[in-house]
Amino acid sequence: MLKELRHYSNFGTPNYFFELLTTLKNKQNVSYLRSDIEKLFYNKIIDGRSVFDGCLELALKIDILQTSDNIVTINEGISNSLNSVNQMIDKFNEFLFLALKKDEEFHKIFCSEHLSHDIIYKSLQINNAAFGLKHSNLKQLLIDFRTIMNHPTPEINYFIINTRYKKLFDKTVLPEIKKRKIGIEEFRKSMELQQIYGEEAERFVMDYETKRLNNKKEIDWVAEYIVNEGYDVASYDNENDDIPNRFIEVKSYDGDTPYFFWSRNEYLTAKRKQQEYWIYLVNRKEMNNKNYEPIMKQNPYESILKDDIWEKLVDKYKIELINVNP
């Protein structure tokens, strides 16, 4: 869809669509052709814009408008959400995300590579560079419809995804992101038991942290969206803490002896965060027991790597040729 719409300059604003949709709703006895809709906005300026070249095409692509015999009609699914601009924005975003959730171009933008977790604002954020020039029209649409917002810190070149639409994002887009975030080959591997075990352990830790903090904090399951953050869960040391300060990498194991594999990225994140970084080791055989508690190691860069009770084995080496002058 986005590939087909790439050459349009303007996808429209909430005020444009509110005027268009209310017109079609209030004049259902009138047959509007595509050309008639274009004439509705001829010589008009809405939100500082006078070119509306991609608006009708977008509306048809996301199904808020439908066409038969070149006659354009409003979808009843949005017709009942026109009591206010804000109500229309919410419904519009539902249609938009449903249309985009399978779009290949969209997932090149909203992928694990471009997403990250904002600790201060407890939100998912996306790099501005993810859109590039070719998708600047989509970026502007998402800004206009409040799906993404400028980061409160101006010098940070990121947008924050509006928490108002987090549930919608989780329902429509997240399942596809989870499939694609580690690539096709890795996704095949993710179907194996190890990936299933990992997600079960992460869910266990999410529940465990919620209970530990007396259900007073909203815990962020970062690994749902992002594969390279260096931790899986952003939690809190205490229920009175304002910002996340316990970053948990979840590892599951089976048997009597705890063990885990640690990536270079996780190791470097632990080294950087020090006391704020934790590893939770979850025994798969025990985690369904009511009073089971995982092994929790704070600052594993010190408490594990420098403790001789933990045996460390090198799983692989990176071998690289260095430039040597003859």
Side-chain angles (χ1 to χ4, degrees):
M1 181 180 89
L2 291 181
K3 193 172 184 179
E4 297 170 16
L5 297 173
R6 189 185 298 168
H7 63 280
Y8 292 108
S9 61
N10 179 21
F11 282 162
T13 66
N15 287 325
Y16 168 90
F17 280 106
F18 188 73
E19 182 174 338
L20 170 61
L21 295 173
T22 51
T23 298
L24 293 177
K25 179 181 178 180
N26 294 333
K27 297 183 178 180
Q28 294 189 34
N29 58 325
V30 179
S31 295
Y32 281 95
L33 303 176
R34 294 169 65 108
S35 57
D36 295 327
I37 290 179
E38 292 171 358
K39 290 176 183 177
L40 285 175
F41 298 95
Y42 185 70
N43 280 341
K44 274 195 175 184
I45 296 177
I46 300 178
D47 297 320
R49 302 175 202 177
S50 58
V51 177
F52 308 103
D53 57 342
C55 303
L56 180 56
E57 291 301 323
L58 174 70
L60 292 169
K61 290 288 186 185
I62 69 174
D63 203 35
I64 62 172
L65 294 183
Q66 299 165 337
T67 182
S68 177
D69 297 327
N70 206 32
I71 295 175
V72 179
T73 56
I74 184 173
N75 188 322
E76 290 185 5
I78 200 168
S79 179
N80 296 324
S81 299
L82 298 175
N83 295 314
S84 68
V85 174
N86 287 335
Q87 185 187 38
M88 184 216 65
I89 288 174
D90 288 344
K91 199 65 179 178
F92 183 98
N93 279 328
E94 285 186 32
F95 277 87
L96 180 64
F97 275 112
L98 284 171
L100 289 174
K101 71 176 184 177
K102 296 288 187 180
D103 189 87
E104 290 295 329
E105 290 290 305
F106 178 77
H107 284 285
K108 290 178 184 177
I109 302 168
F110 282 80
C111 65
S112 184
E113 178 185 353
H114 298 138
L115 295 170
S116 58
H117 179 247
D118 190 288
I119 298 168
I120 303 298
Y121 298 98
K122 309 171 196 175
S123 178
L124 195 64
Q125 61 182 16
I126 183 166
N127 195 326
N128 180 30
F131 295 94
L133 288 175
K134 66 181 180 180
H135 293 305
S136 58
N137 49 11
L138 173 66
K139 179 175 71 174
Q140 189 59 55
L141 179 78
L142 296 179
I143 292 171
D144 290 336
F145 277 82
R146 307 170 197 165
T147 312
I148 60 175
M149 302 178 293
N150 289 320
H151 198 285
T153 306
E155 58 268 24
I156 296 179
N157 198 27
Y158 277 81
F159 294 103
I160 287 180
I161 296 176
N162 191 342
T163 54
R164 180 179 181 86
Y165 301 112
K166 184 177 185 302
K167 288 183 178 179
L168 174 62
F169 192 86
D170 289 351
K171 180 180 178 182
T172 56
V173 179
L174 176 59
E176 290 298 317
I177 290 179
K178 290 176 72 174
K179 288 181 184 179
R180 300 162 190 256
K181 70 177 180 179
I182 50 179
I184 296 174
E185 184 61 31
E186 287 299 315
F187 178 59
R188 292 194 187 105
K189 295 179 182 178
S190 76
M191 293 297 97
E192 299 174 1
L193 285 176
Q194 193 60 42
Q195 180 70 14
I196 296 171
Y197 290 152
E199 291 194 1
E200 287 177 347
E202 289 168 14
R203 288 192 185 95
F204 168 83
V205 169
M206 289 289 293
D207 291 340
Y208 178 85
E209 286 295 285
T210 300
K211 292 173 185 175
R212 183 179 67 81
L213 296 167
N214 299 311
N215 296 299
K216 293 185 178 180
K217 306 299 287 186
E218 184 175 347
I219 314 301
D220 290 322
W221 190 358
V222 177
E224 271 199 302
Y225 303 94
I226 308 163
V227 71
N228 57 357
E229 198 73 13
Y231 54 87
D232 299 313
V233 173
S235 185
Y236 304 80
D237 283 335
N238 302 289
E239 61 187 53
N240 295 322
D241 294 333
D242 293 327
I243 62 173
N245 53 13
R246 180 178 291 215
F247 302 96
I248 304 167
E249 177 62 29
V250 180
K251 302 293 187 182
S252 74
Y253 68 95
D254 187 12
D256 297 327
T257 304
Y259 66 91
F260 64 94
F261 295 90
W262 213 11
S263 73
R264 174 177 173 82
N265 183 48
E266 293 161 2
Y267 154 82
L268 291 175
T269 304
K271 183 179 180 181
R272 185 177 71 253
K273 290 191 174 294
Q274 298 184 12
Q275 296 297 321
E276 291 188 334
Y277 193 95
W278 293 70
I279 281 183
Y280 280 26
L281 295 168
V282 179
N283 190 329
R284 295 194 292 271
K285 288 185 176 180
E286 300 290 335
M287 67 181 183
N288 291 324
N289 294 340
K290 182 178 180 182
N291 296 319
Y292 171 71
E293 293 190 355
I295 297 171
M296 297 174 282
K297 301 296 292 185
Q298 185 178 16
N299 192 9
Y301 178 75
E302 295 285 342
S303 63
I304 291 181
L305 281 188
K306 298 184 180 182
D307 191 333
D308 290 338
I309 69 170
W310 294 87
E311 182 182 20
K312 298 90 183 175
L313 298 173
V314 177
D315 183 59
K316 62 177 68 175
Y317 285 98
K318 179 184 178 182
I319 311 295
E320 184 176 1
L321 179 66
I322 59 175
N323 291 325
V324 179
N325 293 326

